[in-house]
Amino acid sequence: MILGDLTFLPTGSVGEASSDIGMPCRPGRVCVTSCGHLGQGLPVQRPQDVALGRRGRCQCARHSSEAWPGIGADPGSMTSEVVEDEGRFYSKAQQYWKDVPATVDGMLGGYGHISNTDLAGSRKFLQRFLQDGPDQIGTTYALDCGAGIGRITKRLLLPIFKTVDMVDVTPDFLAKAKTFLGQDGKRVGNYFCCGLQDFHPEPNHYDLIWIQWVIGHLTDEHLVAFLKRCKAGLRPNGIVIIKDNATQEGVVMDEVDSSICRDVEVVRKLIKEAGLTLLAEEKQKNFPDEIYSVLSFAMR
């Protein structure tokens, strides 16, 4: 369905909440816990949560196993251990992001001040695939998944790629992108309004598919299926890059925005299950200590 020049794609069969999957999962995770211990990477507090008096749970030895299914468990634990009701998982996320302002600060969960650092790290990571060599990618077409208002499209992708497509489940974010991107927005090929669980990248089309702070709103099953479709959407020598939060161990549920965070081993396992080969992995530097570790994964 077309509204203005936004393309609305049909949802799948996940139920009423299927269109909610794919909303960007943001980095603002401050570890202040109800028992007074430091939460060490749990998604328990944001500045706005502090103002509302919300409290999170602790990852200390005394509380971790009782507070969070998956913490302290086998590193290969799947999201089924923390997502008991899939429909509620997606509908809560939709409700949370419905009221998020269409600004850079909104896209980053109140952590807009880390945007420059994030983009600098992303450029450095991507640069290795733009240099001459066997892993060099083309610079014709990129896809920004969970694109929001176009923060990454504007400052990372459009300066490098001739054309960029954007996909996000929130129409207000994509509508804002048209003004946020300015004149560079003319090089956006398509604004797809769709949850990633339903999105099918055009086969053999993209040199780069960038997926940042959004896989937490996909269950393992949907994530693997989406990555398989991304693989089919790559041009020869194209790559997929995931950049997202990582727990110290296990799979953790954030009840506030209804997202999940996986540890590195779980992410690697899902990448392998999707039939992709990991090419490089790097931890983002110079982020605030109180938020999750953020890692980039490149694959094809």
Side-chain angles (χ1 to χ4, degrees):
M1 181 176 74
I2 305 293
L3 179 60
D5 53 355
L6 297 184
T7 303
F8 285 76
L9 302 182
T11 59
S13 57
V14 183
E16 190 174 294
S18 65
S19 63
D20 308 332
I21 310 171
M23 289 176 291
C25 180
R26 311 305 177 197
R29 302 330 192 224
V30 183
C31 304
V32 181
T33 68
S34 55
C35 68
H37 294 95
L38 198 59
Q40 306 241 347
L42 284 182
V44 294
Q45 285 284 72
R46 297 177 181 77
Q48 58 266 44
D49 298 333
V50 175
L52 292 172
R54 292 175 178 147
R55 282 294 198 178
R57 295 177 179 175
C58 184
Q59 198 187 15
C60 67
R62 184 162 67 91
H63 294 103
S64 61
S65 60
E66 66 187 67
W68 297 101
I71 288 294
D74 177 1
S77 6
M78 296 286 99
T79 55
S80 59
E81 296 187 25
V82 293
V83 179
E84 297 179 0
D85 184 333
E86 191 175 274
R88 183 171 178 270
F89 171 67
Y90 294 133
S91 62
K92 278 190 66 179
Q94 180 187 34
Q95 185 60 43
Y96 179 85
W97 292 107
K98 180 181 178 181
D99 297 325
V100 169
T103 63
V104 170
D105 205 49
M107 298 300 95
L108 294 176
Y111 277 71
H113 60 282
I114 71 170
S115 184
N116 289 342
T117 302
D118 167 60
L119 290 163
S122 296
R123 286 190 203 97
K124 178 177 176 291
F125 185 71
L126 180 57
Q127 187 61 39
R128 71 185 70 191
F129 300 103
L130 299 172
Q131 299 170 350
D132 291 340
D135 289 329
Q136 184 179 19
I137 64 173
T139 56
T140 301
Y141 225 126
L143 173 65
D144 186 358
C145 298
I149 65 171
R151 181 185 71 92
I152 293 167
T153 291
K154 181 174 183 175
R155 295 190 55 196
L156 176 66
L157 302 180
L158 282 174
I160 297 171
F161 294 89
K162 181 179 179 181
T163 307
V164 178
D165 284 347
M166 298 172 60
V167 56
D168 196 279
V169 77
T170 307
D172 287 350
F173 293 167
L174 292 176
K176 175 65 175 180
K178 296 177 186 302
T179 56
F180 178 75
L181 294 173
Q183 290 297 311
D184 287 336
K186 294 179 179 179
R187 293 192 290 115
V188 173
N190 296 283
Y191 296 86
F192 295 111
C193 191
C194 181
L196 296 186
Q197 84 287 358
D198 292 315
F199 185 70
H200 290 252
E202 183 177 339
N204 192 35
H205 191 62
Y206 296 105
D207 297 296
L208 171 68
I209 297 178
W210 189 275
I211 309 168
Q212 182 163 348
W213 281 321
V214 67
I215 65 171
H217 286 298
L218 291 170
T219 64
D220 289 341
E221 180 182 0
H222 295 141
L223 177 55
V224 169
F226 178 61
L227 289 177
K228 288 179 178 179
R229 298 194 297 273
C230 287
K231 182 180 179 181
L234 294 177
R235 301 178 69 191
N237 235 40
I239 60 172
V240 175
I241 291 181
I242 293 174
K243 187 171 184 178
D244 218 300
N245 303 330
T247 66
Q248 291 184 333
E249 183 181 18
V251 178
V252 176
M253 179 76 180
D254 183 341
E255 293 288 354
V256 178
D257 67 358
S258 192
S259 66
I260 49 182
C261 189
R262 304 164 172 97
D263 70 27
V264 174
E265 288 303 320
V266 172
V267 175
R268 290 176 185 149
K269 179 177 180 179
L270 297 176
I271 290 169
K272 184 177 180 180
E273 189 176 335
L276 290 156
T277 300
L278 195 59
L279 303 175
E281 179 181 310
E282 183 174 278
K283 182 179 178 181
Q284 171 70 47
K285 297 179 181 178
N286 301 317
F287 268 6
D289 292 337
E290 71 269 19
I291 68 173
Y292 272 127
S293 295
V294 174
L295 283 91
S296 297
F297 304 86
M299 65 208 78
R300 67 162 57 99

